[in-house]
Amino acid sequence: MFLEEENVEENVIITQEISDLVTAMLERVYDLFKFDFRSDLELRMILSQHLVPLSVRIRFDMDMKNPMLRDVKEKFCLSYTMACNAVTVLNEHFKVSLSEDEVAYFAFAFALALERRKTEIKKKNIILVCSSGRGSAQLLQYKYKNSFKDYIDEIIACDVGSLYKMDFSRYDYIFTTVPITVSVPLPILEVEYFLGDEDIVNVKKVLCGQKTSSVLNYYERDLFLTHLKFKTKTEVLRFMCQFVIEKKKLPQEFYESVLQRERMAKTAFGNQVAMPHAYKAMSSETFVCVGILDEPVEWGDQKIRAIFLVCIADKDHTSAELQHFYQLTASFLLSQKQIQELVKKQDYDAFIKAVIQMEEEHPI
């Protein structure tokens, strides 16, 4: 959608004004998410080219609908949230409030940039231990190499008896179909000879350096607040921000930072859910404080029952973990059934169980 048509009648001129706006957009994304796209020339050019016609639409008050808005929110949630933050620069500069449809077009650009980062995954070297014959071992070796080509650089098959001859310094993991009784200096993953869907998911998590489930890394029991009774959005935010400030020892300006972000663009996600966050990253870890209201409050033009206050770690992000977290959270927030269950039960264990089940259904 960002590629220029071959027979364009006019040149696309990227002015200094547009170039400066793109720089400010990428700075704002870095401030909150700590993803550094500031030197990504391809992303800069895509954003700049998109801004040229957009500036014309803004001037003439034209709004372009995006038929993929819901899909973007669900499947590219991190990209969409980045775009929401980035366009606040445009809202301030042009004195407008860009619609969700326009934001979603910017989300495609950030999704492409994040996709390119996946190629930066450090590939692993694997020792595959099996007891089968040479032909079967080669078949298994080929299956792993083919199934995990984006994650594996070198994979070598051997039997248990030959394991002691291996130079372990060259390898990262041992995958084995048989018990290993000798002492080895590498982590061992027991695998089935025939690769099932669950095996593939588990192996990918190991190769990505992820834990079995990333859910508990972000959603803590102590940060799950139920039966809240507030009448306004400001009251809810003040209470939740003060709660995490004390719990996580955040600076007092965290609350004002969240309000500043709210003033720039709406954070109501639809489906009775809002996902507020600070203007800049202020925490040493990424976490979510979930607040559930007994009665809905007005949140802009929507009525909200569940608030997911997201706090991003103040560190550079290079892995797919944050992307996976946002995608999983978005799938949950956009599910009418899941949100209805959440506000009805207001139960942490039921919530975690539902999110873990969704994670298993939507593996990395």
Side-chain angles (χ1 to χ4, degrees):
M1 295 186 69
F2 288 97
L3 296 176
E4 291 298 315
E5 296 178 11
E6 291 180 7
N7 55 347
V8 287
E9 296 178 2
E10 298 180 11
N11 293 331
V12 177
I13 307 298
I14 299 170
T15 63
Q16 187 63 49
E17 177 192 25
I18 285 178
S19 180
D20 290 344
L21 284 171
V22 169
T23 297
M25 290 170 75
L26 298 181
E27 283 286 353
R28 195 154 287 182
V29 168
Y30 180 73
D31 283 344
L32 176 61
F33 298 94
K34 296 303 174 185
F35 272 85
D36 197 349
F37 296 117
R38 293 172 295 185
S39 59
D40 189 328
L41 180 61
E42 187 173 343
L43 176 58
R44 279 182 171 274
M45 294 307 295
I46 289 174
L47 291 174
S48 299
Q49 289 175 75
H50 185 65
L51 264 175
V52 173
L54 175 63
S55 62
V56 176
R57 291 202 300 277
I58 290 173
R59 196 181 316 140
F60 293 101
D61 198 22
M62 299 165 62
D63 191 24
M64 190 161 69
K65 291 296 178 186
N66 193 326
M68 293 177 285
L69 177 60
R70 182 183 171 85
D71 286 335
V72 170
K73 278 186 172 183
E74 182 172 359
K75 296 185 172 63
F76 304 107
C77 182
L78 178 57
S79 312
Y80 178 78
T81 313
M82 284 178 170
C84 285
N85 220 53
V87 300
T88 58
V89 170
L90 306 180
N91 290 345
E92 292 166 1
H93 181 80
F94 292 108
K95 306 291 191 295
V96 295
S97 180
L98 290 178
S99 68
E100 289 184 322
D101 298 276
E102 292 285 8
V103 172
Y105 284 113
F106 281 103
F108 291 126
F110 286 105
L112 283 169
L114 286 168
E115 199 64 30
R116 286 199 308 276
R117 282 191 165 217
K118 289 183 180 179
T119 61
E120 298 170 10
I121 295 173
K122 184 176 181 294
K123 293 188 175 184
K124 306 294 193 297
N125 295 325
I126 308 296
I127 299 173
L128 185 61
V129 180
C130 50
S131 60
S132 49
R134 184 178 177 83
S136 300
Q138 286 180 337
L139 175 61
L140 189 58
Q141 188 177 346
Y142 169 77
K143 283 166 66 178
Y144 270 87
K145 185 72 173 174
N146 191 51
S147 297
F148 308 107
K149 56 181 177 291
D150 294 333
Y151 304 88
I152 293 177
D153 183 32
E154 180 187 350
I155 183 166
I156 184 169
C158 73
D159 55 40
V160 177
S162 306
L163 195 56
Y164 72 95
K165 300 177 185 176
M166 303 299 300
D167 177 8
F168 294 113
S169 64
R170 294 181 52 217
Y171 297 92
D172 300 286
Y173 299 108
I174 294 174
F175 291 176
T176 180
T177 60
V178 294
I180 294 177
T181 55
V182 295
S183 178
V184 292
L186 298 177
I188 298 170
L189 176 68
E190 294 187 349
V191 296
E192 297 291 333
Y193 181 78
F194 296 101
L195 278 172
D197 290 342
E198 190 175 339
D199 299 315
I200 290 175
V201 170
N202 289 334
V203 169
K204 280 187 178 179
K205 283 176 179 174
V206 169
L207 294 175
C208 288
Q210 279 198 303
K211 297 175 182 177
T212 308
S213 172
S214 61
V215 178
L216 297 177
N217 297 346
Y218 304 108
Y219 296 104
E220 301 173 23
R221 188 182 294 275
D222 290 348
L223 297 178
F224 190 80
L225 311 175
T226 60
H227 299 292
L228 300 181
K229 294 174 174 60
F230 296 102
K231 291 186 167 51
T232 68
K233 164 185 167 182
T234 305
E235 289 177 0
V236 180
L237 284 176
R238 185 188 297 119
F239 172 79
M240 292 183 67
C241 288
Q242 196 56 46
F243 184 85
V244 297
I245 285 170
E246 294 173 7
K247 202 78 178 173
K248 293 292 185 179
K249 295 181 172 53
L250 299 182
Q252 282 296 325
E253 57 264 31
F254 176 74
Y255 172 55
E256 183 51 45
S257 182
V258 170
L259 290 185
Q260 184 180 358
R261 175 62 182 83
E262 286 292 321
R263 288 192 290 267
M264 289 177 167
K266 62 182 182 179
T267 56
F269 210 74
N271 196 28
Q272 302 186 82
V273 176
M275 195 164 67
H277 50 77
Y279 175 72
K280 292 186 176 182
M282 295 184 178
S283 170
S284 60
E285 60 180 311
T286 300
F287 64 86
V288 185
C289 179
V290 180
I292 307 169
L293 293 152
D294 282 341
E295 297 295 333
V297 298
E298 298 283 344
W299 205 287
D301 56 354
Q302 297 186 37
K303 291 187 181 296
I304 299 300
R305 285 281 307 275
I307 299 97
F308 284 63
L309 176 60
V310 180
C311 194
I312 305 295
D314 186 14
K315 64 180 182 182
D316 285 358
H317 293 290
T318 54
S319 72
E321 193 174 344
L322 189 64
Q323 194 171 350
H324 177 60
F325 155 70
Y326 264 95
Q327 187 174 330
L328 184 64
T329 299
S331 298
F332 187 89
L333 300 189
L334 287 170
S335 169
Q336 197 170 5
K337 176 188 171 187
Q338 297 290 7
I339 294 302
Q340 284 176 350
E341 287 289 304
L342 176 67
V343 297
K344 178 183 174 184
K345 293 180 179 176
Q346 303 202 29
D347 180 77
Y348 174 79
D349 292 322
F351 164 68
I352 289 297
K353 183 178 179 183
V355 178
I356 288 176
Q357 184 178 345
M358 191 165 277
E359 185 176 37
E360 289 171 350
E361 292 170 0
H362 301 87
I364 302 168

